[in-house]
Amino acid sequence: MSARSAQLPRLLSRAAKLATPATARLAAIRASARQMSTARVSLRSNVLRPTPFVRARQYSSKSYPDHQLVGMPALSPTMTQGNVGQWQKQVGDRIEPGDVLVEIETDKAQMDFEYQEEGYLAKILAPTGTKDLGIDQPVAIIVENEADVAAFADYSPGAKTEAAPVQETVAKEETKEAAAPAKAAPSQAVESGDRIFASPLAKMLAKEKNIDLAQVKGTGPRGRIVKADIEGFVAPVAEKAAPAPAAKAAKPAPKAAPAAPSVSAGFTDIPLTNMRKVIATRLTEAKSTIPHYYLTQNITMDNVNKLRKSLNSAANGSYKLSVNDFVIKAAASALRDVPDVNSSWQGEFVRQHHHADIAVAASTPAGLITPIVRTCDAKGLKAISSEVRDLVTRARANKLKPEEFQGGSFTVSNLGMFGISSFSAIINPPHAAILSVGTTESRLVLDEASEKGFKAVENMS
């Protein structure tokens, strides 16, 4: 025991010497890890910092204060133009983020345009009734200060601002170019040979808008084309008009609503709504590009009618089930049992849906629309009935949200209430199928158990 005790200090000393290099190596590794973590955080802060985005363009000129041109918004994925409805704000009114500025008629419905910045409405450029206004075309002017509203009383869409934009937050380079003075007249962007001097953002915008840079006059340093030049080129300007004063040479305002239908020639021309234009385009495309084949089945509705009558009686007026509610629920159950039909064509693949999101065709004064009842396979008859009534009511009042009529996996179109016995509906893209429902009729069928040998049944096709 004493011999081992005598060797213990020597063993501890040797262990300490061996541990020193390992400790040093561990400390070095930890220091390196801290440096890498710091570099990673720095890199993340530089790479992931969001780039500011401006919803509206802000301009300043010698005659007009700083202001923002509000363009026609794209309120649905398929919208390319819109009609201007009732303005909810008037010139001089204060606007808070989220306030409804104006009603816009899209290709699907009439929707509220909520403005997300604060300011004052200085000018309405597209009055109520303006038709077929393209996306991003100016509809109004917003200013920050109420005192600046009066300065835009005589503003016209073709008025040309002489100074460059004072706010460009898309890129630092554009900010520097926009702030540069533009005292001299705009010079041509082509300096030597065929070389054109333009900023990267201006080139990108020109490519998107299919604009030839050789036709654009630059207002940046040494005639360089900047974003403002591209925006000014596509905006209503006097370049394409005959030489005349600026006010007269400006491009005319968007066309107003068509005149009242004429009956003098023995016919009436009814203007098309955006919705009807889209319906005509989509149905023509669907009928000509989707292979249609039709299957017909007659259904005996006696038991369904008895169940419907019993459930409505037990409801005591709290709800009222329709035949269409039973059809929607039955279709949802069938889609769950046959998932191949609960699919949609996506161009490069077929998407099989896990729930039955059924679109219900509803007629409105503006045209046909198909609001969607989501997850019908997981809902009862009462919930389906209540949701269908709510969606159809709001569809006829043009109050549907985009997500309430876009998508879906199957469509039900019912004309039975009009006495139609059967019809062949057109598939609603990208759905794979549509169910056409006719009216219920009394028919005589053979019945060996009956004394007469036949009986009357309620039949639906």
Side-chain angles (χ1 to χ4, degrees):
M1 180 67 68
S2 59
R4 291 182 179 179
S5 300
Q7 295 178 355
L8 183 59
R10 183 169 56 84
L11 294 175
L12 292 175
S13 176
R14 184 177 179 183
K17 292 180 180 180
L18 293 175
T20 298
T23 304
R25 286 194 300 270
L26 181 60
I29 292 174
R30 289 177 177 174
S32 176
R34 284 195 297 270
Q35 293 177 358
M36 292 177 64
S37 177
T38 302
R40 188 180 299 111
V41 171
S42 176
L43 178 62
R44 184 182 297 114
S45 63
N46 291 332
V47 173
L48 299 184
R49 184 181 293 113
T51 301
F53 178 74
V54 180
R55 291 178 59 85
R57 299 181 295 276
Q58 185 168 352
Y59 294 91
S60 176
S61 71
K62 294 180 180 179
S63 56
Y64 296 107
D66 293 346
H67 59 281
Q68 293 180 332
L69 284 176
V70 181
M72 170 65 72
L75 299 179
S76 73
T78 57
M79 179 180 174
T80 58
Q81 59 186 13
N83 299 340
V84 179
Q86 187 67 34
W87 281 89
Q88 303 301 317
K89 296 290 184 179
Q90 301 302 321
V91 173
D93 289 352
R94 178 171 177 79
I95 301 174
E96 299 289 344
D99 284 354
V100 177
L101 191 62
V102 63
E103 295 178 355
I104 300 295
E105 181 188 342
T106 71
D107 56 342
K108 296 291 186 180
Q110 187 160 327
M111 305 174 62
D112 293 336
F113 172 32
E114 297 181 356
Y115 195 66
Q116 299 304 322
E117 299 182 24
E118 61 181 15
Y120 294 88
L121 180 58
K123 184 74 173 181
I124 295 177
L125 302 178
T128 298
T130 302
K131 300 288 186 179
D132 301 334
L133 195 63
I135 299 301
D136 292 335
Q137 290 297 312
V139 297
I141 293 178
I142 305 295
V143 295
E144 294 184 0
N145 302 318
E146 186 176 8
D148 296 335
V149 173
F152 293 88
D154 60 345
Y155 181 91
S156 62
K160 186 175 181 180
T161 56
E162 299 178 4
V166 298
Q167 180 179 348
E168 290 290 348
T169 57
V170 179
K172 292 183 179 180
E173 180 180 357
E174 291 299 311
T175 304
K176 295 179 181 179
E177 294 173 355
K183 297 181 181 179
S187 59
Q188 193 69 20
V190 181
E191 288 191 7
S192 59
D194 294 330
R195 185 177 179 183
I196 298 177
F197 294 91
S199 67
L201 182 58
K203 293 179 180 179
M204 181 184 69
L205 290 176
K207 184 177 181 181
E208 291 178 355
K209 298 177 181 295
N210 196 22
I211 296 175
D212 185 4
L213 290 175
Q215 300 178 1
V216 181
K217 293 182 178 180
T219 59
R222 299 182 181 178
R224 191 179 191 190
I225 299 174
V226 295
K227 179 186 175 184
D229 302 323
I230 301 299
E231 296 288 355
F233 184 81
V234 298
V237 293
E239 293 182 0
K240 296 183 180 180
K248 296 182 179 180
K251 187 178 179 179
K255 59 182 179 180
S262 173
V263 296
S264 59
F267 57 85
T268 301
D269 294 331
I270 302 175
L272 292 177
T273 63
N274 284 345
M275 182 185 295
R276 290 192 182 278
K277 292 179 183 178
V278 172
I279 290 173
T281 301
R282 287 176 60 87
L283 290 185
T284 302
E285 177 185 357
K287 190 65 175 177
S288 59
T289 61
I290 300 176
H292 283 63
Y293 66 94
Y294 306 96
L295 304 175
T296 304
Q297 180 71 45
N298 294 325
I299 307 296
T300 302
M301 296 293 292
D302 291 27
N303 293 335
V304 173
N305 289 338
K306 292 179 182 178
L307 177 60
R308 173 173 170 258
K309 183 177 180 180
S310 175
L311 293 176
N312 286 338
S313 299
N316 293 324
S318 60
Y319 61 86
K320 185 176 181 180
L321 301 177
S322 67
V323 173
N324 203 47
D325 299 331
F326 284 86
V327 172
I328 293 173
K329 182 59 181 178
S333 300
L335 292 173
R336 180 188 56 197
D337 296 338
V338 188
D340 288 343
V341 180
N342 194 32
S343 304
S344 59
W345 177 259
Q346 301 295 328
E348 299 296 330
F349 58 90
V350 174
R351 175 173 295 165
Q352 191 172 98
H353 300 273
H354 297 161
H355 293 284
D357 298 332
I358 297 182
V360 182
S363 177
T364 71
L368 186 70
I369 194 169
T370 53
I372 300 170
V373 184
R374 306 285 179 180
T375 61
C376 292
D377 52 317
K379 293 178 179 176
L381 288 168
K382 180 181 177 181
I384 291 175
S385 177
S386 176
E387 193 167 343
V388 168
R389 291 176 184 273
D390 174 65
L391 289 171
V392 172
T393 299
R394 289 192 290 114
R396 289 171 178 166
N398 291 323
K399 297 299 181 182
L400 287 180
K401 300 176 182 178
E403 60 269 19
E404 293 177 324
F405 55 79
Q406 294 175 0
S409 59
F410 189 79
T411 307
V412 172
S413 182
N414 191 341
L415 296 181
M417 66 286 294
F418 300 109
I420 304 298
S421 58
S422 64
F423 66 101
S424 300
I426 299 176
I427 294 175
N428 183 26
H431 299 174
I434 185 171
L435 177 63
S436 308
V437 182
T439 189
T440 300
E441 300 175 326
S442 296
R443 294 184 181 180
L444 297 178
V445 297
L446 295 176
D447 183 12
E448 297 180 356
S450 174
E451 295 181 359
K452 298 180 180 180
F454 62 88
K455 65 177 181 179
V457 297
E458 296 295 319
N459 191 274
M460 182 178 70
S461 59

